[in-house]
Every structure is written in C-alpha cells, then in structure tokens.
Amino acid sequence: IAGPFCGQVFGDLGADVVKVERADGGEEGRRVGEMVDGETLFFMGANRNKRSLTLDFRNPDGQALLRRLAAKADILIENFRPGTLEKMGCGYDVLSEENPGLILVRVSGFGQDGPMASHPCFDGAAQAHSGIMTLTGPAGGAPTMAGVFVADYSTALYASIAALAALQARQDTGKGQVVEATLMDSALSM
C-alpha cells in the first residue's frame, strides 16, 4: 500500500504518474475487496490520477524499458524487496548515470540493509514490531491491529515529504538522490 499511496499523493498534487506493474496480473490490490466495473474499490482508491503500464521485470527488454522510463523521470518510487532493482540492472548507480537528477524513493518494510532487511513486512508486522498493536483493542486484551493501515499510509506520507525535500535540494545542486522510507521507522515514529 505504501508505494502506490505515495504515487497517489503525487498524482493528486498534479504530477504525471506512470504506474509500472507486473505483467502477470498487476499489483495485488487489483484482487482485494469489492469489485465495481471490473476494478476493486481498493485499487481505484490507491491508483487515481495515474497512468499505467505493465512489463515483465524479469525480462531484459522489460528492464531496459524501465531504465528508459527512469531516464526521463523526476522521481522513481520503488516498493520491491531490497536488492531487487539492483538484480534487474536498475540500481540507482545505473539509473543516475543516465539521469543525474533522478530521485529514487525506496519504500520497504525494514530498510535496505541490516538484520531485518530481507524479511517480508506488511502493515500488520510493522504494527506488531513497533508496539502499535499493544495500544489498540480492549484494555487487558490481546494486541490488535489498528483499524486502518497506519504504517503503510504514514510511510507513504514520509516518502512523499522526503521526495519533495529531495526535489528542493535538486533545485540547488542539480543532483538527485536516494530517499528511503520504511514501515518500521514510520510505525516507530508514531
């Protein structure tokens, strides 16, 4: 949710957002929840104001297309497990050679390195690890998830703010940078 919502924030602010999805059925949000006119309400809500295309990230031609898109972009938001972009030959070192002003927003569960980096993380896991779940539910009861995906949504907002700060820095330096937002850091901040 965090990556798509971050892109939605930029789309709502007027940016031209191109969402790139897997060729094998697109993002999971296309299959979650109630369907209306062939789309889920969740997908429509998190993907308004975006254009969309699919590509096969495992195919060299798909990876080359991603590099061509990044060469013309101001911001690239990625929501993969750490190391995935690099395995595709699309790490920041490669992308910034063609586009030195590119801002890469890396959204992950636990960060790009460290002992938990390779662990999968969804909102519920971030709520549990951070202690948010101990603050919700009945007094004396079991830990309970908050009623909304607070870690995902706050991560998206932190990522958006960091990307805007990086855009401002680029005005002064002409150089892009990598910014990172994690579900765990966002949950802990709350």
Side-chain angles (χ1 to χ4, degrees), residues 54-72:
T54 61
L55 61 84
D56 182 354
F57 296 112
R58 294 170 196 247
N59 181 305
D61 291 336
Q63 295 164 358
L65 176 57
L66 182 60
R67 287 190 292 275
R68 286 195 305 274
L69 288 169
K72 298 177 182 178

PDB file of all heavy atoms in Angstrom, residues 54-72:
ATOM      1  N   THR A  54       2.222  -2.272 -17.975  1.00  0.00           N
ATOM      2  CA  THR A  54       2.778  -3.495 -17.397  1.00  0.00           C
ATOM      3  C   THR A  54       4.057  -3.847 -18.134  1.00  0.00           C
ATOM      4  O   THR A  54       4.231  -3.529 -19.304  1.00  0.00           O
ATOM      5  CB  THR A  54       1.794  -4.682 -17.502  1.00  0.00           C
ATOM      6  OG1 THR A  54       1.518  -4.944 -18.869  1.00  0.00           O
ATOM      7  CG2 THR A  54       0.499  -4.393 -16.765  1.00  0.00           C
ATOM      8  N   LEU A  55       4.966  -4.481 -17.395  1.00  0.00           N
ATOM      9  CA  LEU A  55       6.159  -5.032 -18.034  1.00  0.00           C
ATOM     10  C   LEU A  55       6.667  -6.195 -17.208  1.00  0.00           C
ATOM     11  O   LEU A  55       6.368  -6.328 -16.029  1.00  0.00           O
ATOM     12  CB  LEU A  55       7.240  -3.971 -18.266  1.00  0.00           C
ATOM     13  CG  LEU A  55       7.850  -3.214 -17.098  1.00  0.00           C
ATOM     14  CD1 LEU A  55       8.981  -3.996 -16.463  1.00  0.00           C
ATOM     15  CD2 LEU A  55       8.400  -1.893 -17.603  1.00  0.00           C
ATOM     16  N   ASP A  56       7.403  -7.042 -17.880  1.00  0.00           N
ATOM     17  CA  ASP A  56       7.988  -8.216 -17.241  1.00  0.00           C
ATOM     18  C   ASP A  56       9.348  -7.816 -16.686  1.00  0.00           C
ATOM     19  O   ASP A  56      10.321  -7.657 -17.417  1.00  0.00           O
ATOM     20  CB  ASP A  56       8.131  -9.343 -18.261  1.00  0.00           C
ATOM     21  CG  ASP A  56       8.691 -10.623 -17.665  1.00  0.00           C
ATOM     22  OD1 ASP A  56       9.093 -10.617 -16.471  1.00  0.00           O
ATOM     23  OD2 ASP A  56       8.724 -11.623 -18.390  1.00  0.00           O
ATOM     24  N   PHE A  57       9.416  -7.629 -15.369  1.00  0.00           N
ATOM     25  CA  PHE A  57      10.640  -7.182 -14.718  1.00  0.00           C
ATOM     26  C   PHE A  57      11.781  -8.188 -14.844  1.00  0.00           C
ATOM     27  O   PHE A  57      12.926  -7.846 -14.656  1.00  0.00           O
ATOM     28  CB  PHE A  57      10.395  -6.925 -13.226  1.00  0.00           C
ATOM     29  CG  PHE A  57       9.434  -5.800 -12.961  1.00  0.00           C
ATOM     30  CD1 PHE A  57       8.190  -6.051 -12.422  1.00  0.00           C
ATOM     31  CD2 PHE A  57       9.781  -4.494 -13.237  1.00  0.00           C
ATOM     32  CE1 PHE A  57       7.314  -5.019 -12.158  1.00  0.00           C
ATOM     33  CE2 PHE A  57       8.909  -3.452 -12.988  1.00  0.00           C
ATOM     34  CZ  PHE A  57       7.668  -3.713 -12.444  1.00  0.00           C
ATOM     35  N   ARG A  58      11.454  -9.456 -15.136  1.00  0.00           N
ATOM     36  CA  ARG A  58      12.488 -10.484 -15.239  1.00  0.00           C
ATOM     37  C   ARG A  58      13.076 -10.583 -16.641  1.00  0.00           C
ATOM     38  O   ARG A  58      14.053 -11.264 -16.859  1.00  0.00           O
ATOM     39  CB  ARG A  58      11.907 -11.838 -14.825  1.00  0.00           C
ATOM     40  CG  ARG A  58      11.529 -11.844 -13.361  1.00  0.00           C
ATOM     41  CD  ARG A  58      10.732 -13.077 -13.001  1.00  0.00           C
ATOM     42  NE  ARG A  58      10.072 -12.859 -11.726  1.00  0.00           N
ATOM     43  CZ  ARG A  58      10.346 -13.509 -10.626  1.00  0.00           C
ATOM     44  NH1 ARG A  58      11.240 -14.440 -10.628  1.00  0.00           N
ATOM     45  NH2 ARG A  58       9.708 -13.241  -9.522  1.00  0.00           N
ATOM     46  N   ASN A  59      12.447  -9.909 -17.578  1.00  0.00           N
ATOM     47  CA  ASN A  59      12.875  -9.938 -18.968  1.00  0.00           C
ATOM     48  C   ASN A  59      13.826  -8.769 -19.228  1.00  0.00           C
ATOM     49  O   ASN A  59      13.539  -7.642 -18.849  1.00  0.00           O
ATOM     50  CB  ASN A  59      11.624  -9.830 -19.852  1.00  0.00           C
ATOM     51  CG  ASN A  59      11.940  -9.868 -21.319  1.00  0.00           C
ATOM     52  OD1 ASN A  59      12.736  -9.073 -21.811  1.00  0.00           O
ATOM     53  ND2 ASN A  59      11.296 -10.773 -22.022  1.00  0.00           N
ATOM     54  N   PRO A  60      14.958  -9.016 -19.892  1.00  0.00           N
ATOM     55  CA  PRO A  60      15.896  -7.918 -20.181  1.00  0.00           C
ATOM     56  C   PRO A  60      15.251  -6.754 -20.944  1.00  0.00           C
ATOM     57  O   PRO A  60      15.606  -5.599 -20.727  1.00  0.00           O
ATOM     58  CB  PRO A  60      16.994  -8.587 -21.007  1.00  0.00           C
ATOM     59  CG  PRO A  60      16.949 -10.030 -20.583  1.00  0.00           C
ATOM     60  CD  PRO A  60      15.492 -10.323 -20.306  1.00  0.00           C
ATOM     61  N   ASP A  61      14.288  -7.044 -21.835  1.00  0.00           N
ATOM     62  CA  ASP A  61      13.615  -5.964 -22.557  1.00  0.00           C
ATOM     63  C   ASP A  61      12.764  -5.118 -21.600  1.00  0.00           C
ATOM     64  O   ASP A  61      12.712  -3.894 -21.731  1.00  0.00           O
ATOM     65  CB  ASP A  61      12.730  -6.524 -23.678  1.00  0.00           C
ATOM     66  CG  ASP A  61      13.540  -7.136 -24.812  1.00  0.00           C
ATOM     67  OD1 ASP A  61      14.721  -6.757 -24.987  1.00  0.00           O
ATOM     68  OD2 ASP A  61      12.994  -8.009 -25.509  1.00  0.00           O
ATOM     69  N   GLY A  62      12.117  -5.774 -20.662  1.00  0.00           N
ATOM     70  CA  GLY A  62      11.338  -5.049 -19.658  1.00  0.00           C
ATOM     71  C   GLY A  62      12.225  -4.186 -18.770  1.00  0.00           C
ATOM     72  O   GLY A  62      11.886  -3.046 -18.441  1.00  0.00           O
ATOM     73  N   GLN A  63      13.375  -4.714 -18.402  1.00  0.00           N
ATOM     74  CA  GLN A  63      14.329  -3.952 -17.588  1.00  0.00           C
ATOM     75  C   GLN A  63      14.864  -2.756 -18.369  1.00  0.00           C
ATOM     76  O   GLN A  63      15.019  -1.662 -17.815  1.00  0.00           O
ATOM     77  CB  GLN A  63      15.460  -4.871 -17.132  1.00  0.00           C
ATOM     78  CG  GLN A  63      14.970  -5.965 -16.204  1.00  0.00           C
ATOM     79  CD  GLN A  63      15.949  -7.108 -16.036  1.00  0.00           C
ATOM     80  OE1 GLN A  63      17.026  -7.130 -16.638  1.00  0.00           O
ATOM     81  NE2 GLN A  63      15.576  -8.080 -15.217  1.00  0.00           N
ATOM     82  N   ALA A  64      15.112  -2.937 -19.653  1.00  0.00           N
ATOM     83  CA  ALA A  64      15.591  -1.835 -20.495  1.00  0.00           C
ATOM     84  C   ALA A  64      14.526  -0.749 -20.604  1.00  0.00           C
ATOM     85  O   ALA A  64      14.840   0.447 -20.570  1.00  0.00           O
ATOM     86  CB  ALA A  64      15.978  -2.350 -21.879  1.00  0.00           C
ATOM     87  N   LEU A  65      13.265  -1.151 -20.712  1.00  0.00           N
ATOM     88  CA  LEU A  65      12.175  -0.173 -20.759  1.00  0.00           C
ATOM     89  C   LEU A  65      12.102   0.606 -19.447  1.00  0.00           C
ATOM     90  O   LEU A  65      11.930   1.826 -19.455  1.00  0.00           O
ATOM     91  CB  LEU A  65      10.847  -0.869 -21.052  1.00  0.00           C
ATOM     92  CG  LEU A  65       9.610   0.032 -21.043  1.00  0.00           C
ATOM     93  CD1 LEU A  65       9.750   1.188 -22.028  1.00  0.00           C
ATOM     94  CD2 LEU A  65       8.361  -0.782 -21.328  1.00  0.00           C
ATOM     95  N   LEU A  66      12.264  -0.083 -18.331  1.00  0.00           N
ATOM     96  CA  LEU A  66      12.257   0.605 -17.040  1.00  0.00           C
ATOM     97  C   LEU A  66      13.398   1.632 -16.974  1.00  0.00           C
ATOM     98  O   LEU A  66      13.200   2.763 -16.512  1.00  0.00           O
ATOM     99  CB  LEU A  66      12.372  -0.399 -15.888  1.00  0.00           C
ATOM    100  CG  LEU A  66      12.331   0.187 -14.486  1.00  0.00           C
ATOM    101  CD1 LEU A  66      11.029   0.917 -14.234  1.00  0.00           C
ATOM    102  CD2 LEU A  66      12.523  -0.916 -13.455  1.00  0.00           C
ATOM    103  N   ARG A  67      14.558   1.280 -17.460  1.00  0.00           N
ATOM    104  CA  ARG A  67      15.685   2.223 -17.478  1.00  0.00           C
ATOM    105  C   ARG A  67      15.383   3.431 -18.369  1.00  0.00           C
ATOM    106  O   ARG A  67      15.701   4.569 -18.018  1.00  0.00           O
ATOM    107  CB  ARG A  67      16.978   1.524 -17.918  1.00  0.00           C
ATOM    108  CG  ARG A  67      17.553   0.598 -16.844  1.00  0.00           C
ATOM    109  CD  ARG A  67      18.948   0.097 -17.192  1.00  0.00           C
ATOM    110  NE  ARG A  67      18.959  -0.800 -18.333  1.00  0.00           N
ATOM    111  CZ  ARG A  67      18.727  -2.118 -18.259  1.00  0.00           C
ATOM    112  NH1 ARG A  67      18.483  -2.694 -17.084  1.00  0.00           N
ATOM    113  NH2 ARG A  67      18.765  -2.870 -19.341  1.00  0.00           N
ATOM    114  N   ARG A  68      14.719   3.195 -19.514  1.00  0.00           N
ATOM    115  CA  ARG A  68      14.358   4.313 -20.400  1.00  0.00           C
ATOM    116  C   ARG A  68      13.340   5.235 -19.730  1.00  0.00           C
ATOM    117  O   ARG A  68      13.434   6.462 -19.864  1.00  0.00           O
ATOM    118  CB  ARG A  68      13.822   3.795 -21.736  1.00  0.00           C
ATOM    119  CG  ARG A  68      14.912   3.242 -22.649  1.00  0.00           C
ATOM    120  CD  ARG A  68      14.458   3.065 -24.087  1.00  0.00           C
ATOM    121  NE  ARG A  68      13.268   2.264 -24.277  1.00  0.00           N
ATOM    122  CZ  ARG A  68      13.245   0.935 -24.380  1.00  0.00           C
ATOM    123  NH1 ARG A  68      14.374   0.245 -24.287  1.00  0.00           N
ATOM    124  NH2 ARG A  68      12.116   0.294 -24.571  1.00  0.00           N
ATOM    125  N   LEU A  69      12.384   4.668 -19.035  1.00  0.00           N
ATOM    126  CA  LEU A  69      11.399   5.486 -18.316  1.00  0.00           C
ATOM    127  C   LEU A  69      12.074   6.309 -17.221  1.00  0.00           C
ATOM    128  O   LEU A  69      11.795   7.502 -17.058  1.00  0.00           O
ATOM    129  CB  LEU A  69      10.307   4.600 -17.705  1.00  0.00           C
ATOM    130  CG  LEU A  69       9.317   3.971 -18.674  1.00  0.00           C
ATOM    131  CD1 LEU A  69       8.482   2.921 -17.957  1.00  0.00           C
ATOM    132  CD2 LEU A  69       8.436   5.038 -19.300  1.00  0.00           C
ATOM    133  N   ALA A  70      12.965   5.685 -16.472  1.00  0.00           N
ATOM    134  CA  ALA A  70      13.662   6.382 -15.379  1.00  0.00           C
ATOM    135  C   ALA A  70      14.552   7.497 -15.906  1.00  0.00           C
ATOM    136  O   ALA A  70      14.769   8.498 -15.225  1.00  0.00           O
ATOM    137  CB  ALA A  70      14.478   5.385 -14.554  1.00  0.00           C
ATOM    138  N   ALA A  71      15.044   7.346 -17.129  1.00  0.00           N
ATOM    139  CA  ALA A  71      15.915   8.372 -17.714  1.00  0.00           C
ATOM    140  C   ALA A  71      15.173   9.688 -17.927  1.00  0.00           C
ATOM    141  O   ALA A  71      15.791  10.747 -17.982  1.00  0.00           O
ATOM    142  CB  ALA A  71      16.495   7.875 -19.037  1.00  0.00           C
ATOM    143  N   LYS A  72      13.844   9.626 -17.999  1.00  0.00           N
ATOM    144  CA  LYS A  72      13.036  10.825 -18.240  1.00  0.00           C
ATOM    145  C   LYS A  72      12.257  11.261 -17.006  1.00  0.00           C
ATOM    146  O   LYS A  72      11.518  12.239 -17.065  1.00  0.00           O
ATOM    147  CB  LYS A  72      12.062  10.556 -19.381  1.00  0.00           C
ATOM    148  CG  LYS A  72      12.751  10.253 -20.692  1.00  0.00           C
ATOM    149  CD  LYS A  72      11.761   9.913 -21.765  1.00  0.00           C
ATOM    150  CE  LYS A  72      12.483   9.558 -23.055  1.00  0.00           C
ATOM    151  NZ  LYS A  72      11.563   9.187 -24.101  1.00  0.00           N
TER     152      LYS A  72
END
